Amino acid sequence: MIGLLLGLPLLLDLVLIWGPALASIGLSFTSWDGLGEIRPVGLDNYVNIVSNYPPFWPAVWHNLLWLAFLGLVATPFGLFLAVLLDREMRFTRFYQTAFYLPVVLSLAVVGFLAQLIFSRDYGAANALLGRTDNPVDWLGDPSINLWSVLLLVGWRHVGYVMLLYLAGLKAVDPGLKEAAAIDGANEPQTFFRVVFPTLRPVNVIVLVITVIEALRAFDIVYAINRGRNGLELLSVLVTDNIVGEASRIGYGSAIAVILLLISTGFIATYLVQVFRREEDQA
């Protein structure tokens, strides 16, 4: 029974996650259209992507902006809301539900909401700003459409981060806060020097989720304009090359491997720093 309960999830993990990942790494060094012969090409796919594929570098930049916005704006705001709700203010349950509600929406649905809000001709944003005579093309202008999308993505991400941090704050020993107050620490000092260090496990989870959310983003930009005209992302390039008319499986796999390396690099770097800090403290 133990073998079955452990072996079946492990088998599914190998088949659905590690299998495709290893296959993508292998296919990234080949040229294959999905039907014909698989022809090894070495590093040619990677060289062409970096030097001769115009959408690649804008997509990398957009993914990094996506990560920076979620990590430096949405995540701290989610922590701020969690701290406020942890004080047991009136209507706390209502606020928790209201802030968490966007999380249950898929990014595809958020993409359709973006069209309703930021549409040039019938969007709510131009109506509220009184720009119906000279409307702003929030989703069509490459200089601003990414920021319009990030506002909605951040709106969804804040609720998730808030819930994680709120759970972490509920687990903090109240005695730590009382001891800090007795020692003369004010509220900011108590939070940053006593409470926040105890949230390190939650910080790791939030970081991993933030990196994954930023680098796997696909649905919302594809629903708006198929990830073009200022909304290029690496995930869209992978789909366009593998599923699109070109059917360049090897080329798309190489982009997927680059995306995997970027995400692994961010997460691994942070985890190494956390483990070193724990070893130094021990």
Side-chain angles (χ1 to χ4, degrees), residues 11 35-36 68 91 123 132 155 168 178 192 194 200 237-238 242 275:
L11 178 62
L35 297 174
F91 308 114
T132 53
W155 168 64
E178 295 174 0
F192 288 108
V194 178
R200 183 175 299 170
L237 301 186
V238 173
I242 293 180
F275 293 147

Side-chain angles (χ1 to χ4, degrees), residues 25-232:
I25 294 174
L27 289 172
S28 68
F29 299 101
T30 67
S31 176
W32 186 41
D33 62 1
L35 297 174
E37 180 184 358
I38 299 178
R39 183 169 55 87
V41 295
L43 296 174
D44 287 354
N45 287 332
Y46 293 96
V47 173
N48 288 331
I49 288 171
V50 173
S51 58
N52 297 319
Y53 191 41
F56 175 72
W57 288 112
V60 172
W61 174 242
H62 295 161
N63 273 113
L64 292 177
L65 281 178
W66 207 287
L67 178 59
F69 183 84
L70 293 185
L72 301 179
V73 178
T75 296
F77 188 62
L79 174 60
F80 174 71
L81 292 179
V83 172
L84 291 181
L85 294 178
D86 186 51
R87 297 183 176 184
E88 298 294 341
M89 63 177 66
R90 293 182 62 187
F91 308 114
T92 297
R93 296 294 182 185
F94 170 77
Y95 293 132
Q96 289 180 17
T97 303
F99 290 131
Y100 185 75
L101 187 61
V103 181
V104 303
L105 302 176
S106 69
L107 281 176
V109 174
V110 177
F112 291 121
L113 289 176
Q115 293 179 331
L116 293 176
I117 297 173
F118 294 114
S119 172
R120 180 181 182 275
D121 298 321
Y122 54 85
N126 282 326
L128 292 174
L129 295 174
R131 296 294 298 268
T132 53
D133 294 333
N134 185 24
V136 179
D137 195 357
W138 301 98
L139 299 179
D141 187 347
S143 63
I144 61 174
N145 57 3
L146 181 65
W147 302 106
S148 302
V149 171
L150 284 177
L151 285 177
L152 288 176
V153 173
W155 168 64
R156 183 178 181 271
H157 187 72
V158 162
Y160 198 7
V161 172
M162 176 208 70
L163 189 69
L164 292 173
Y165 275 121
L166 187 59
L169 290 171
K170 295 296 183 185
V172 174
D173 185 1
L176 295 175
K177 299 179 183 179
E178 295 174 0
I182 293 174
D183 290 339
N186 55 31
E187 271 194 59
Q189 290 173 333
T190 300
F191 177 76
F192 288 108
R193 296 185 182 182
V194 178
V195 176
F196 191 71
T198 65
L199 298 176
R200 183 175 299 170
V202 182
N203 291 334
V204 174
I205 296 173
V206 169
L207 172 81
V208 172
I209 290 174
T210 300
V211 172
I212 292 174
E213 285 291 319
L215 298 181
R216 77 176 181 89
F218 170 82
D219 315 51
I220 184 170
V221 297
Y222 208 78
I224 293 174
N225 65 356
R226 300 178 67 87
R228 297 168 184 169
N229 190 33
L231 295 180
E232 295 85 358

Side-chain angles (χ1 to χ4, degrees), residues 201-281:
V202 182
N203 291 334
V204 174
I205 296 173
V206 169
L207 172 81
V208 172
I209 290 174
T210 300
V211 172
I212 292 174
E213 285 291 319
L215 298 181
R216 77 176 181 89
F218 170 82
D219 315 51
I220 184 170
V221 297
Y222 208 78
I224 293 174
N225 65 356
R226 300 178 67 87
R228 297 168 184 169
N229 190 33
L231 295 180
E232 295 85 358
L233 295 174
L234 289 174
S235 58
V236 176
L237 301 186
V238 173
T239 303
D240 286 344
N241 282 278
I242 293 180
V243 184
E245 297 179 359
S247 295
R248 299 189 293 179
I249 308 298
Y251 205 80
S253 297
I255 301 175
V257 171
I258 293 173
L259 182 58
L260 174 64
L261 292 175
I262 294 174
S263 58
T264 304
F266 277 107
I267 296 172
T269 301
Y270 180 78
L271 292 180
V272 167
Q273 293 177 350
V274 170
F275 293 147
R276 283 181 178 175
R277 197 176 300 126
E278 291 180 350
E279 291 178 357
D280 293 340
Q281 292 176 353

